[in-house]
Amino acid sequence: MGPLSPLVTTLRRTPPLVFAMAVLATGLVVSSSVLVKGVRRGNDTITVTGSSTERITSDFVDWTVDVARSAPTLQASYQELQPEVQRTIDFLRQQGIPADAISRNPIKSDKSEVRDSRTGELQSTTFTTRQQIRISSPEVEKVAAVAQQIGELVGQGVPLTINDPAYTYTRLSEKRVDMLAKATRDARLRAREIARQAGSHIGVITQADTGSFQITVPNSTEMSSFGSYDTTTIEKDITAVMGVTFRVD
């Protein structure tokens, strides 16, 4: 952060400070940014933005693969699907995924028709039956490894659509409280230094505004004013922002 003195624009009596949460529009992870419109003695206030960032490790994974079979009749597509679903489940079990972590979503079927473009006469009908297999587990690393290996089944002829695992953090509510407290402390340190440059002192907190949380891939610069939650990586960065208004003594 550059010299602090330019941030304090005036020491005369001016309207109370300030709207600090604009940091979300300019860069939530730029922890050095501080918005200040004025500092003065008496009952005036100063509002600054504090932030805190930590690296967290996902503790739960939700992953799906879709198995599908097509045939001229609905019955045939269903019958051909069943052994492929079983082969997929057997593979997951062989890789160490427990049975209680594996579930099957309801079977779905679609019908497609091919017609003569000139006469509209029906030429063929194809039924596609599919079933989604879901893996939900706290064994994040194990499931991630299996997701890298399941492509072997495709090589063996199993008609799979492999979706990306979604990695999440289940203790986010607990972490949120801790992160906000750290962001508030960060705001106090900044406000104290700004006030010191102006020959003033920081008093009690008069208002605190919580910004949106950003959960991103490590070292990401992406952000959203509504908050973000990346599920593509096991390791994540979580950033919290607080706009805190202090009385200036």
Side-chain angles (χ1 to χ4, degrees), residues 61-65 92 97 101-103 133-137 143:
V61 59
D62 194 49
W63 175 44
T64 60
V65 294
L92 295 171
I97 304 297
I102 303 172
S103 61
I133 301 171
R134 181 177 298 276
I135 300 90
S136 302
S137 173
V143 173

Side-chain angles (χ1 to χ4, degrees), residues 33-142:
S33 63
V34 181
L35 299 178
V36 180
K37 282 190 175 179
V39 177
R40 59 177 188 169
R41 306 178 191 281
N43 295 325
D44 278 351
T45 58
I46 178 175
T47 299
V48 298
T49 299
S51 67
S52 61
T53 300
E54 287 187 18
R55 183 69 49 85
I56 59 175
T57 302
S58 302
D59 58 7
F60 198 82
V61 59
D62 194 49
W63 175 44
T64 60
V65 294
D66 300 304
V67 191
R69 270 298 186 186
S70 298
T73 68
L74 181 60
Q75 181 181 20
S77 68
Y78 176 83
Q79 291 174 342
E80 293 177 14
L81 175 71
Q82 298 311 303
E84 305 295 5
V85 170
Q86 193 57 53
R87 286 178 65 185
T88 304
I89 292 176
D90 289 345
F91 177 87
L92 295 171
R93 295 296 309 280
Q94 291 165 7
Q95 299 302 314
I97 304 297
D100 60 0
I102 303 172
S103 61
R104 304 186 194 192
N105 287 345
I107 291 177
K108 297 181 179 180
S109 296
D110 298 313
K111 181 176 74 171
S112 61
E113 297 178 342
V114 177
R115 295 182 178 272
D116 187 285
S117 60
R118 293 172 300 174
T119 66
E121 181 181 356
L122 180 63
Q123 295 180 326
S124 65
T125 302
T126 301
F127 291 88
T128 300
T129 302
R130 58 179 53 85
Q131 185 162 47
Q132 187 175 79
I133 301 171
R134 181 177 298 276
I135 300 90
S136 302
S137 173
E139 297 183 275
V140 173
E141 297 290 349
K142 177 181 288 186

Side-chain angles (χ1 to χ4, degrees), residues 169-189:
Y169 185 72
T170 62
R171 300 190 299 275
L172 188 57
S173 59
E174 302 170 19
K175 177 61 68 175
R176 187 187 302 269
V177 174
D178 178 60
M179 295 291 289
L180 289 176
K182 291 178 179 178
T184 301
R185 287 196 293 271
D186 181 56
R188 181 179 291 277
L189 289 174

Side-chain angles (χ1 to χ4, degrees), residues 4-12 14 17 36-39 194 198:
L4 290 173
S5 56
L7 295 175
V8 183
T9 60
T10 178
L11 293 176
R12 66 182 183 277
T14 57
L17 311 171
V36 180
K37 282 190 175 179
V39 177
I194 294 169

Side-chain angles (χ1 to χ4, degrees), residues 1 3 19 31 81 117 121 134 141 160 177 201 221 228 237-238 246:
M1 186 167 75
F19 178 57
S31 60
L81 175 71
S117 60
E121 181 181 356
R134 181 177 298 276
E141 297 290 349
L160 287 180
V177 174
H201 300 281
T221 58
S228 60
D237 283 348
I238 176 172
F246 299 89

